[in-house]
């Protein structure tokens, strides 16, 4: 899983829109391979959305316990749906 915006805190932590599948080589060995990832994201979501993602990099979001509980339940439910397939 490649994160278009690096970072594990604040507003990008659980932003699914900026995540795409990515091979190990690009994700780990090439630190996200932004030279290839950026044009791909612009093609898929448009320049305006990509610029919105970039502004998130410097944004801060304070998660509360309730937020984490809701996120947990969301992914637990999605995981259950996938297991049923």
């Amino acid at each position: 899983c490649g994160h278009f915006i690096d970072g594990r805190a604040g507003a990008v932590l659980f932003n699914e829109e900026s995540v795409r599948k990515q091979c190990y080589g690009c994700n780990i060995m090439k630190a996200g391979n932004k030279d290839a990832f950026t044009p791909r994201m612009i093609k898929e979501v448009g320049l305006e959305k990509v610029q919105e993602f970039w502004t998130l990099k410097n944004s801060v979001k304070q998660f509360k316990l309730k937020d984490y509980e809701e996120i947990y339940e969301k992914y637990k439910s999605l995981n259950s749906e996938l297991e049923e397939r």
Side-chain angles (χ1 to χ4, degrees):
C1 186
H3 293 80
F4 180 63
I5 302 298
D6 299 328
R8 298 289 182 261
V12 297
L13 183 59
F14 296 108
N15 186 309
E16 294 177 19
E17 292 180 298
S18 66
V19 178
R20 296 291 186 275
K21 63 183 177 179
Q22 199 172 43
C23 71
Y24 178 85
C26 286
N27 193 353
I28 303 302
M29 305 304 288
K30 294 182 180 178
N33 195 7
K34 300 299 185 206
D35 290 341
F37 205 169
T38 301
R40 176 178 158 198
M41 288 297 288
I42 292 170
K43 182 178 179 182
E44 288 183 20
V45 300
L47 181 58
E48 187 174 311
K49 190 69 171 176
V50 166
Q51 290 171 329
E52 184 181 312
F53 293 149
W54 284 327
T55 62
L56 286 176
K57 185 173 187 167
N58 298 319
S59 299
V60 175
K61 176 173 174 67
Q62 294 292 326
F63 290 96
K64 307 241 185 277
L65 178 59
K66 182 180 178 186
D67 297 319
Y68 289 116
E69 290 170 343
E70 289 173 358
I71 291 165
Y72 173 79
E73 290 301 324
K74 173 185 175 181
Y75 288 108
K76 183 178 173 183
S77 175
L78 287 171
N79 188 55
S80 293
E81 289 177 25
L82 288 172
E83 288 178 344
E84 290 175 5
R85 290 183 186 178

